Amino acid sequence: MLLLLPLVSADLYPEGYGYYGQNQYYYVVFDGEGEAAVLARLELQNTDNLTEFSFQIPGEDISLINIVQEYYTYTEECGTWEEVSCSTSDGVETCSKECTNTLRYPIYPPSYAQVSYTVGEADGMTYVQVTIPELDQDNIYLLLHYKTSSYVDASGAVFDYHFQTIQNAYDTSYVRVSLDVAEDLYLEGVDSAIDYQEEILASKESADF
């Protein structure tokens, strides 16, 4: 069946095995030259105040254009006050309190920092190691822009695509992929699946489209 609307989205909720939670969001555009342009957003729970992060992009002809970190400054306020002592003077009771629970909130809008990274290729994968520039964040938000021809096979005027999401050793709770094409192209027959590659105490997960 020919889809007249060029934009297709898929939402996946894979079962996870790791210690950390993450969400992944993708906007993928296929053009008439057999290339896919990808905008990706990775969201990681920063339970250990990460300073580095590594992941794998399926394919060996990945052109990684840029990576930036979205980060926030925070404000704090007391969430719980506890009375520690009380005194009475002239019939008026006065109690002193101390904060026993502090709440932290991000201040909007966010800021953006350039991320330094190294890239290597092996076994059909592009390995990326990044250094987190802004630390002390509740969550790590990485924005990636890359291009590749690995996901497209051309046969005349027909292009078959096979998009795969980024893999890493962190638990995946949510994946959203939006597929789009150039103005003179149409999408036909969209399907998805999840592949698990289990490792000791962690898993590498990738969604295929």
Side-chain angles (χ1 to χ4, degrees):
M1 183 178 75
L2 188 65
L3 300 179
L4 299 180
L5 293 177
L7 180 63
V8 175
S9 296
D11 300 277
L12 298 177
Y13 301 84
E15 180 183 3
Y17 297 90
Y19 287 105
Y20 306 95
Q22 69 167 320
N23 299 325
Q24 298 184 1
Y25 303 86
Y26 300 87
Y27 177 61
V28 186
V29 179
F30 296 98
D31 62 22
E33 299 179 350
E35 189 175 55
V38 182
L39 297 177
R41 177 183 175 91
L42 306 182
E43 301 180 350
L44 300 165
Q45 289 181 341
N46 193 22
T47 56
D48 285 339
N49 199 18
L50 294 175
T51 59
E52 294 182 329
F53 175 64
S54 61
F55 57 89
Q56 300 85 49
I57 305 175
E60 287 191 338
D61 67 337
I62 305 296
S63 176
L64 187 52
I65 299 172
N66 198 18
I67 303 178
V68 298
Q69 179 190 2
E70 177 183 302
Y71 69 95
Y72 295 84
T73 56
Y74 293 87
T75 183
E76 294 184 349
E77 66 178 44
C78 185
T80 305
W81 292 93
E82 183 176 309
E83 293 185 356
V84 292
S85 63
C86 296
S87 62
T88 302
S89 176
D90 297 329
V92 178
E93 184 180 47
T94 303
C95 296
S96 61
K97 299 180 180 180
E98 68 177 16
C99 182
T100 58
N101 180 32
T102 301
L103 302 178
R104 190 165 95 148
Y105 300 97
I107 300 175
Y108 293 88
S111 300
Y112 297 89
Q114 190 68 45
V115 174
S116 60
Y117 57 88
T118 58
V119 177
E121 295 180 355
D123 302 324
M125 304 290 288
T126 296
Y127 292 82
V128 183
Q129 175 79 33
V130 305
T131 300
I132 306 298
E134 296 294 331
L135 307 179
D136 193 29
Q137 297 287 299
D138 291 345
N139 298 287
I140 299 296
Y141 303 105
L142 296 178
L143 310 178
L144 293 79
H145 180 202
Y146 58 94
K147 292 185 177 182
T148 181
S149 58
S150 293
Y151 306 141
V152 181
D153 294 321
S155 177
V158 177
F159 296 89
D160 293 326
Y161 70 85
H162 180 74
F163 176 72
Q164 293 179 282
T165 59
I166 289 172
Q167 300 178 11
N168 59 63
Y170 292 87
D171 200 20
T172 302
S173 59
Y174 179 79
V175 176
R176 179 179 178 86
V177 177
S178 296
L179 304 178
D180 206 350
V181 293
E183 292 183 357
D184 56 342
L185 299 177
Y186 294 92
L187 287 174
E188 179 182 16
V190 178
D191 198 3
S192 63
I194 303 174
D195 297 326
Y196 292 97
Q197 300 177 11
E198 292 190 43
E199 296 182 345
I200 298 177
L201 298 181
S203 67
K204 292 186 178 181
E205 307 165 336
S206 179
D208 299 338
F209 295 83

